[in-house]
Amino acid sequence: MEKVIESLFSPLNREEFISAYRENRPITAHHDIDKFKELSSLKYLSSLSSLLESWPSKVNAYSPGIPDEVNSTQVDPVQAQKLFDSGSGLYFDDPNNTEEILAKTLEGLRQDLGLSNLTYSRSLIYAIPKGKGTAPHFDQNINFVLQISGTKKWWVAPNTSVENPMTRYTIGTNPDPELDSYLDEDLPTTFPSESTEYELKPGSVLFLPRGTWHKTEATEDALSLNFTFSAPTWIDMLQTALRSRLTQSPFWRGTANFTTDLELHTEAVSMFDTLLDQLKQDVPSWQARDILRAIEMEPE
Ligand SMILES: [Fe+2]
């Protein structure tokens, strides 16, 4: 069966895609929307009115102010149409939960990328009115966009403030303390000037590498389908392995007693030191291959 990644980015093959992916290079491809008829004819994607009529749950709408997911509210589909008409962008979470083809495409993409079974994969639909867009930000996830209807401009710029961010950040908001702790340079207050502009039309596809700055503006009422992947970092891999190893020990499972007790604090230090000594003896025999096999093993 044709790989999803090759269907999206043809004539690029998977190998060529992976070399761009390794270099954090955005990629676009422009096709006739008919190539994706199976997706674009879904009731969720054939038009905004069809989407709102068939949508089974709440819709997210950008609130006045910064058009960003940190500044949005959940409304019912009727209210969503009114908000869209008055200029609010809308986004719809996890349509893959009710559309099998979206779930399959999402999973196919994850496998084509060789991402961990622990990856948090999501699909989203964005409906953005003409002249509106999203505020400048970067995401911690890997993002694929398929433009379904209307046109949308994207401005994309490399992130010189931080490599491999683990949380998203929108200009004009406060970074979370952990992100702030590993910045290479101050976060900009305006969108970086050295950006590339892409215009997505129905059938256009964009790969947006993790952490890349971007902002958008719909030049017509626009509907797009996104697939995002929050894959585990090496930190997550080690944390998972460490946790499953340590949970086997009743001592590690013990309550961390007296860590804040002035008199009994030394007992806490001594217990923790004993446990750390045991761990130090255990770690030299750890092998990446064994850990990965244990983590990535398909459930029975
Ligand atoms: Fe984004």
Side-chain angles (χ1 to χ4, degrees):
M1 214 178 77
E2 191 191 18
K3 291 188 183 304
V4 180
I5 200 83
E6 294 186 343
S7 149
L8 291 179
F9 292 98
S10 66
L12 235 60
N13 62 29
R14 178 181 185 263
E15 212 180 350
E16 290 164 326
F17 177 84
I18 293 291
S19 37
Y21 171 80
R22 285 178 191 283
E23 292 165 17
N24 263 0
R25 218 173 346 116
I27 309 178
T28 46
H30 303 281
H31 307 285
D32 192 307
I33 187 65
D34 285 348
K35 180 178 166 72
F36 306 109
K37 208 179 279 168
E38 235 186 325
L39 299 175
S40 64
S41 61
L42 292 173
K43 59 188 188 303
Y44 289 163
L45 295 171
S46 52
S47 68
L48 177 59
S49 53
S50 161
L51 168 59
L52 288 168
E53 271 164 33
S54 50
W55 190 249
S57 48
K58 295 276 189 186
V59 180
N60 305 288
Y62 293 142
S63 303
I66 301 178
D68 186 80
E69 64 181 56
V70 296
N71 183 37
S72 63
T73 46
Q74 294 208 317
V75 296
D76 62 51
V78 173
Q79 186 64 18
Q81 177 72 64
K82 287 183 191 153
L83 287 169
F84 181 88
D85 293 340
S86 62
S88 288
L90 309 174
Y91 62 97
F92 301 73
D93 288 320
D94 307 311
N96 51 295
N97 284 347
T98 40
E99 281 293 359
E100 182 63 24
I101 175 83
L102 296 179
K104 269 181 153 170
T105 309
L106 190 61
E107 178 59 9
L109 257 181
R110 182 185 71 81
Q111 288 182 11
D112 291 350
L113 291 171
L115 294 175
S116 169
N117 291 324
L118 302 182
T119 301
Y120 175 41
S121 309
R122 295 178 71 193
S123 71
L124 294 132
I125 299 169
Y126 285 87
I128 307 292
K130 181 181 176 179
K132 303 292 177 178
T134 44
H137 69 280
F138 60 74
D139 299 289
Q140 84 293 349
N141 56 32
I142 299 158
N143 191 0
F144 293 86
V145 185
L146 170 61
Q147 191 66 30
I148 300 291
S149 61
T151 54
K152 201 197 253 180
K153 280 188 179 170
W154 282 72
W155 291 268
V156 175
N159 190 337
T160 54
S161 302
V162 59
E163 211 179 324
N164 294 328
M166 296 190 294
T167 44
R168 72 189 297 281
Y169 172 74
T170 304
I171 290 180
T173 65
N174 289 322
D176 70 76
E178 190 183 65
L179 174 64
D180 200 35
S181 78
Y182 58 78
L183 291 176
D184 292 327
E185 59 182 54
D186 287 347
L187 290 161
T189 51
T190 55
F191 193 71
S193 52
E194 291 199 4
S195 66
T196 308
E197 183 181 310
Y198 300 98
E199 186 175 38
L200 303 195
K201 296 182 171 156
S204 298
V205 183
L206 169 67
F207 158 63
L208 191 71
R210 175 181 168 198
T212 312
W213 286 109
H214 54 287
K215 62 175 183 174
T216 64
E217 188 186 320
T219 44
E220 300 166 359
D221 286 358
L223 211 56
S224 59
L225 173 64
N226 284 49
F227 298 102
T228 70
F229 301 91
S230 298
T233 62
W234 293 115
I235 299 171
D236 299 317
M237 290 312 229
L238 179 62
Q239 213 169 17
T240 303
L242 194 60
R243 187 174 174 89
S244 73
R245 182 77 174 163
L246 299 184
T247 48
Q248 303 310 307
S249 156
F251 303 107
W252 276 103
R253 294 200 307 271
T255 304
N257 279 329
F258 313 129
T259 54
T260 58
D261 187 294
L262 287 179
E263 278 175 27
L264 299 175
H265 186 68
T266 49
E267 193 179 317
V269 170
S270 151
M271 181 63 191
F272 202 12
D273 266 336
T274 306
L275 291 171
L276 288 174
D277 285 341
Q278 284 172 9
L279 179 63
K280 284 175 209 159
Q281 285 173 31
D282 194 25
V283 166
S285 67
W286 289 21
Q287 296 288 334
R289 189 176 295 274
D290 300 335
I291 295 175
L292 290 180
R293 193 185 300 122
I295 290 179
E296 303 297 357
M297 226 161 33
E298 294 292 344
E300 302 272 312

